[in-house]
Amino acid sequence: MLVPVIMLMAHMLQSCSTTSKLQDGELLYNGMKLNLKPQGDEKIPSEIVTDLTEAVNVRPNNPWPYISPYKRMPLPLGLWVYNHMNDSAKGLKGWFYNKFVEEPVLVESARPATRTEMLKEILDNNGYFGSKATYDIKLGKNPKKGEIIYNVDLTSPYLIDSIVYLDNSTKLGHLVDTIAKRSHYLQKGSRFSIDSLNVVRTKIANTLRNLGYYYFRPEYIEFLADSLINPHHVALKITFADKTPAMSMQQYKVGNIYTSVLRRSVHNPGVPDTLHTDKGELIVYRPSKLRKNLVPSCITFRKGRIFSVWDMDRTQTRLSRLGIFSNIQLQPVPADTSAKNPVMDLYITCQFDRPMEATLEANVVSKSNSYIGPGLVLGVTNNNIFGGAEKLSVQFNANYEWQTGHNKGSVFNSYEFGLTGSLAFPRLLAPKFIRRMERDLNWTTISIGADVMNRPHYFKLADFHAGITYEWHPSRNVLNQLTLFKLTYNKLMHTTNSFDSIMQANPAVALSFESQYIPEISYTYTWDKFFEREKINGLNFTFTVTEAGNVFDGIYRLCGVKGEKKLFGTPFSQFVKGQAQLIYNRRLVRGSDQWLVSRVLIGAAHAYGNSSQVPYSEQFYIGGANSIRAFAVRSLGPGSYRPPKEMQNGYFDQTGTFKFELNSEYRFPIISILHGAVFVDAGNIWLLKNDPQRPGGQIKAKNFFKELALGTGVGLRVDLGMIVIRGDLGYGLHAPYYNGTPHYFNIKPKNAFAFHLAIGYPF
């Protein structure tokens, strides 16, 4: 029924006129074409082609939404509504008219004459002096529709022939000349370009402001061009602009530094307490909890040194990252501009924020197999517990799931909950030889916590953990995280007869559930960078490696202990685990918020020595709100294995020691804070060792692609800036297990949907 309706609508739109309301002499804009004709075999730089195209591109009638604002849809619904419906219609017709109507875009409104002048100006600014730009209007089959044809005949570009620099007799002139000579653009033979010259001016000004010339601006530098000396060449001369302020020509050094730390309450400002530090005078309004050296440690200025804007930015950033101030202001004030060596005093004002911070994250998962359940993460943080910006955090997380509908049978109360406390110091409590950047805060975090997982028909598992982690930046784009030591204790608290019988028949799974200690050391390397200033292409690479038990095993071997080794009377686990993730971000339209974000993830774990199986809590699982969204969490794998029907959603054997996942998501704005997404997810988990009780679970090359679960879906996101609320509706396309059909798309539509409500983007 749907196909005939679509065909009928297409026929109606094509057969009905979209120009019936046009007046005599009016032409419907039907797009444009840009013909560029360079001299000979000269190649036009791509950035110039882009600038020329953007100058003449006009939004046509009925463009493709979210895909291209300059490509016209084949079915101009908005124009058809404008020409064939009444604007005074009421009810459903009135709503339809107001929703879809679009007034025609005319050739006249595209202003082709003005745009040809814009083309000439762009060409002149890029050295193509004397180029010609004209336009023609090409009528279509319908004489009331016209396409604008822009014809551009380019001359050979003018090249830089010589450069006359400033007088090196002054310090400022010498600095300007040095910066200009280091520019990649200001070289003999470069194409003349005003945009490039503006970039050089900005670079000169920014460099000078970091060398003490705080009041210098790009407009104080001028380039004089002479194209008459040598044909098709330009002679450049660098000079200072007329009436350049005297203050901008002075180099300032750092004078006195005055820092004020205000209380949060404006009604009770407190009593000022003046402290003398090596970074100047510090005034703290009491009562306030603040260590004397905390704020000075964030100030990068030194009295008597060159005043630098870069130091202002670094100081602002470091103070902000403490997380204890709601408002930070830096105000430089010249102390004596008439002095031979003028100085700049700096006034820093910080105002305390609320010390307590609470966070709440909620998610809901609904699967078409009648399982539904909410999740909750509640956190409370004191951002300044000891007065040194230390963060004391307590986080509670819980997930609950039950079976609904006519298949529920007995109530299935499956839950997980945990409580974690951590204390983070904004400094690295580690030896000084570890390379770190002072521009970023480095953290030392001590944590302790416990988690409980309950599967009522099978088991209840608890784990207790404590550890210490270092986090530091060795460079701008790199983050290192080292968990120097983490000790976890897994305890199987309760089992049912059904679970015990299953474990007896499946020794491999049973071993992963044994009560044991897990002494871990792990390291995570993160590299994150956008390759352009406009943030068009970005990469995020994360690699984590974890080892457990090797240090204890080595100590026991040195002591002559053989066989199974125990810690406090309980065996400890020994394994190695690694995971790598690569995320690629691509902005599809320059300046827009349309993104294509893709991720590939791979991980593996292997037990040896004191263990024959990787602990259950360290094995991989897949599915859920941040993974393959067409499937519930822990409902896939390993491989093509599927638990018996009576054990499905038990979640104790659907883990593995190898994981592979692919995700791709198109994100686009809809209106205001509402954004949309279309996604495709694929992946699965496998076993590196064969387990006869889980047939099809071991990874094999010949079955790899067939055993990748596949799902797609759409999502809505409410982007509130600090938080993103996300709802994703996944649709399963392919399950890796046999599902009653030999076809690839083996999931029935009624069982294919899964809905996830979550906080934040999935990757």
Side-chain angles (χ1 to χ4, degrees):
M1 182 65 185
L2 181 60
V3 174
V5 170
I6 295 176
M7 294 179 63
L8 180 61
M9 181 178 293
H11 176 74
M12 177 184 65
L13 293 176
Q14 290 177 350
S15 60
C16 295
S17 173
T18 55
T19 59
S20 59
K21 286 189 177 182
L22 294 184
Q23 304 296 321
D24 291 340
E26 291 183 333
L27 282 177
L28 188 69
Y29 176 66
N30 207 28
M32 73 88 192
K33 184 177 181 181
L34 179 62
N35 295 324
L36 301 177
K37 301 176 183 178
Q39 289 287 326
D41 296 330
E42 291 183 1
K43 186 177 180 180
I44 309 173
S46 59
E47 63 271 16
I48 296 180
V49 175
T50 299
D51 291 343
L52 294 173
T53 303
E54 290 179 351
V56 295
N57 251 349
V58 177
R59 182 182 181 275
N61 298 278
N62 291 104
W64 283 101
Y66 313 120
I67 298 177
S68 174
Y70 302 114
K71 297 293 185 182
R72 181 176 176 270
M73 292 179 63
L75 302 177
L77 176 61
L79 278 178
W80 181 88
V81 172
Y82 176 84
N83 282 276
H84 297 281
M85 292 188 69
N86 194 333
D87 59 357
S88 62
K90 304 296 183 182
L92 182 60
K93 287 186 177 180
W95 174 88
F96 188 87
Y97 179 88
N98 293 324
K99 181 70 175 178
F100 295 103
V101 67
E102 284 197 26
E103 293 190 8
V105 179
L106 304 178
V107 168
E108 179 184 1
S109 63
R111 299 179 296 163
T114 302
R115 294 185 185 278
T116 55
E117 296 301 319
M118 294 170 61
L119 293 175
K120 294 177 184 178
E121 183 179 355
I122 292 172
L123 292 170
D124 286 345
N125 289 342
N126 285 278
Y128 291 88
F129 297 111
S131 297
K132 297 180 180 179
T134 60
Y135 75 91
D136 295 315
I137 298 176
K138 179 182 177 182
L139 300 179
K141 294 180 180 180
N142 185 339
K144 288 189 176 183
K145 295 181 180 181
E147 181 184 21
I148 304 176
I149 310 296
Y150 294 96
N151 298 299
V152 181
D153 295 312
L154 288 83
T155 61
S156 295
Y158 278 60
L159 306 178
I160 296 177
D161 181 58
S162 61
I163 304 170
V164 179
Y165 293 96
L166 290 169
D167 183 5
N168 277 329
S169 61
T170 65
K171 184 176 182 179
L172 179 58
H174 174 73
L175 288 173
V176 171
D177 286 352
T178 302
I179 300 167
K181 288 177 181 178
R182 291 176 180 174
S183 168
H184 295 295
Y185 171 70
L186 283 182
Q187 305 293 332
K188 185 176 180 179
S190 297
R191 175 177 50 81
F192 178 82
S193 169
I194 290 180
D195 289 341
S196 298
L197 292 177
N198 287 333
V199 171
V200 174
R201 292 200 314 169
T202 302
K203 182 178 180 180
I204 292 173
N206 290 342
T207 305
L208 290 176
R209 296 188 74 206
N210 286 322
L211 294 174
Y213 296 88
Y214 178 76
Y215 294 102
F216 202 89
R217 298 292 182 267
E219 55 267 26
Y220 300 156
I221 290 289
E222 288 185 349
F223 292 96
L224 304 181
D226 189 344
S227 61
L228 300 178
I229 300 176
N230 192 0
H232 270 86
H233 287 77
V234 175
L236 287 179
K237 181 179 181 180
I238 304 176
T239 183
F240 290 116
D242 293 337
K243 298 181 180 179
T244 299
M247 289 182 65
S248 67
M249 312 284 279
Q250 290 182 310
Q251 186 181 44
Y252 293 87
K253 291 188 177 180
V254 179
N256 295 318
I257 304 173
Y258 304 95
T259 304
S260 299
V261 180
L262 308 180
R263 301 186 69 215
R264 183 174 62 85
S265 174
V266 296
H267 303 293
N268 184 16
V271 180
D273 179 14
T274 302
L275 307 173
H276 298 283
T277 73
D278 59 345
K279 300 293 181 63
E281 198 171 86
L282 174 65
I283 303 174
V284 182
Y285 285 80
R286 305 293 187 182
S288 293
K289 187 184 292 185
L290 184 71
R291 292 191 175 183
K292 179 180 178 180
N293 64 341
L294 178 63
V295 172
S297 68
C298 296
I299 299 174
T300 59
F301 289 94
R302 300 290 189 278
K303 187 174 182 177
R305 292 186 181 179
I306 297 297
F307 191 93
S308 171
V309 174
W310 186 43
D311 281 328
M312 288 185 64
D313 295 338
R314 288 201 303 165
T315 300
Q316 177 95 33
T317 299
R318 295 181 69 177
L319 288 171
S320 299
R321 288 180 176 172
L322 289 176
I324 62 175
F325 299 122
S326 61
N327 185 30
I328 301 169
Q329 295 182 355
L330 280 74
Q331 181 63 49
V333 177
D336 187 0
T337 58
S338 62
K340 183 179 179 180
N341 296 311
V343 297
M344 187 86 74
D345 290 343
L346 181 66
Y347 292 83
I348 304 173
T349 304
C350 306
Q351 186 172 21
F352 273 112
D353 199 356
R354 295 177 182 271
M356 300 301 295
E357 177 183 353
T359 59
L360 177 64
E361 298 182 11
N363 64 78
V364 176
V365 176
S366 175
K367 193 74 172 70
S368 55
N369 60 3
S370 300
Y371 282 89
I372 187 172
L376 179 72
V377 178
L378 175 63
V380 179
T381 302
N382 187 319
N383 291 311
N384 193 28
I385 183 68
F386 301 129
E390 301 88 355
K391 297 180 182 292
L392 177 64
S393 301
V394 178
Q395 180 174 287
F396 172 78
N397 63 281
N399 293 280
Y400 187 79
E401 186 179 85
W402 66 90
Q403 189 175 22
T404 63
H406 63 278
N407 294 323
K408 64 181 181 181
S410 60
V411 177
F412 189 94
N413 295 314
S414 174
Y415 61 82
E416 299 177 37
F417 67 88
L419 185 67
T420 301
S422 65
L423 177 61
F425 300 86
R427 49 196 173 275
L428 211 59
L429 305 178
K432 295 292 184 181
F433 63 80
I434 296 180
R435 181 185 174 189
R436 65 199 80 171
M437 291 185 68
E438 293 187 357
R439 66 180 298 271
D440 292 305
L441 288 178
N442 305 296
W443 292 90
T444 302
T445 304
I446 302 171
S447 62
I448 186 170
D451 296 281
V452 175
M453 178 188 299
N454 182 66
R455 300 290 179 257
H457 296 314
Y458 301 104
F459 67 89
K460 179 183 289 186
L461 177 70
D463 78 75
F464 307 89
H465 51 84
I468 179 170
T469 299
Y470 295 135
E471 181 179 304
W472 74 98
H473 295 263
S475 63
R476 181 184 298 271
N477 303 113
V478 174
L479 172 64
N480 287 324
Q481 293 170 290
L482 173 64
T483 299
L484 188 62
F485 182 72
K486 179 182 178 182
L487 183 63
T488 302
Y489 176 59
N490 286 344
K491 174 66 176 178
L492 196 58
M493 301 174 64
H494 172 74
T495 62
T496 64
N497 292 331
S498 175
F499 180 80
D500 292 339
S501 62
I502 295 172
M503 293 300 101
Q504 291 176 4
N506 197 330
V509 176
L511 287 172
S512 70
F513 274 92
E514 282 188 339
S515 297
Q516 58 190 310
Y517 284 99
I518 308 174
E520 296 181 24
I521 299 175
S522 67
Y523 168 72
T524 299
Y525 172 89
T526 302
W527 184 82
D528 190 8
K529 182 178 181 180
F530 274 96
F531 296 98
E532 304 89 2
R533 181 173 296 179
E534 300 86 354
K535 293 188 176 181
I536 298 175
N537 294 282
L539 279 180
N540 177 284
F541 173 73
T542 303
F543 173 73
T544 300
V545 60
T546 302
E547 72 82 21
N550 291 317
V551 174
F552 282 86
D553 182 73
I555 294 174
Y556 278 61
R557 287 179 181 273
L558 288 175
C559 296
V561 179
K562 298 181 180 180
E564 186 181 53
K565 306 170 184 67
K566 297 183 178 182
L567 181 65
F568 305 121
T570 301
F572 62 83
S573 181
Q574 190 174 2
F575 65 89
V576 63
K577 177 181 177 182
Q579 179 172 293
Q581 174 182 272
L582 180 65
I583 299 175
Y584 172 62
N585 298 270
R586 168 71 181 180
R587 191 190 297 270
L588 298 180
V589 180
R590 186 184 296 266
S592 75
D593 205 17
Q594 298 183 51
W595 292 89
L596 181 64
V597 184
S598 301
R599 173 177 71 169
V600 56
L601 183 150
I602 187 170
H606 175 65
Y608 56 95
N610 208 46
S611 301
S612 59
Q613 295 293 330
V614 177
Y616 178 77
S617 60
E618 294 291 338
Q619 294 190 26
F620 299 104
Y621 59 88
I622 204 165
N626 298 319
S627 183
I628 304 179
R629 284 159 281 185
F631 298 87
V633 66
R634 298 177 184 267
S635 64
L636 289 170
S640 61
Y641 169 74
R642 191 181 192 189
K645 189 174 182 179
E646 66 274 7
M647 294 194 310
Q648 289 178 17
N649 297 88
Y651 301 130
F652 63 82
D653 59 354
Q654 293 194 267
T655 59
T657 51
F658 185 86
K659 180 177 181 179
F660 181 77
E661 186 174 342
L662 293 170
N663 311 88
S664 189
E665 182 170 286
Y666 168 50
R667 300 170 183 170
F668 54 89
I670 298 177
I671 183 173
S672 184
I673 61 173
L674 186 63
H675 294 240
V678 179
F679 56 84
V680 177
D681 303 319
N684 204 348
I685 54 171
W686 290 267
L687 300 173
L688 294 178
K689 300 178 181 178
N690 184 39
D691 183 358
Q693 301 302 318
R694 288 183 283 180
Q698 187 178 19
I699 186 170
K700 295 182 179 180
K702 65 178 181 179
N703 298 328
F704 182 80
F705 292 103
K706 185 172 63 175
E707 292 176 355
L708 288 175
L710 179 65
T712 185
V714 296
L716 286 177
R717 288 87 197 276
V718 179
D719 191 345
L720 302 176
M722 295 294 293
I723 190 173
V724 176
I725 303 173
R726 169 170 58 94
D728 288 330
L729 180 63
Y731 184 86
L733 298 174
H734 173 71
Y737 46 79
Y738 179 70
N739 207 16
T741 174
H743 303 295
Y744 180 80
F745 299 103
N746 57 359
I747 304 178
K748 296 179 180 180
K750 67 177 182 178
N751 297 325
F753 290 98
F755 177 72
H756 303 274
L757 181 64
I759 303 294
Y761 288 104
F763 48 86

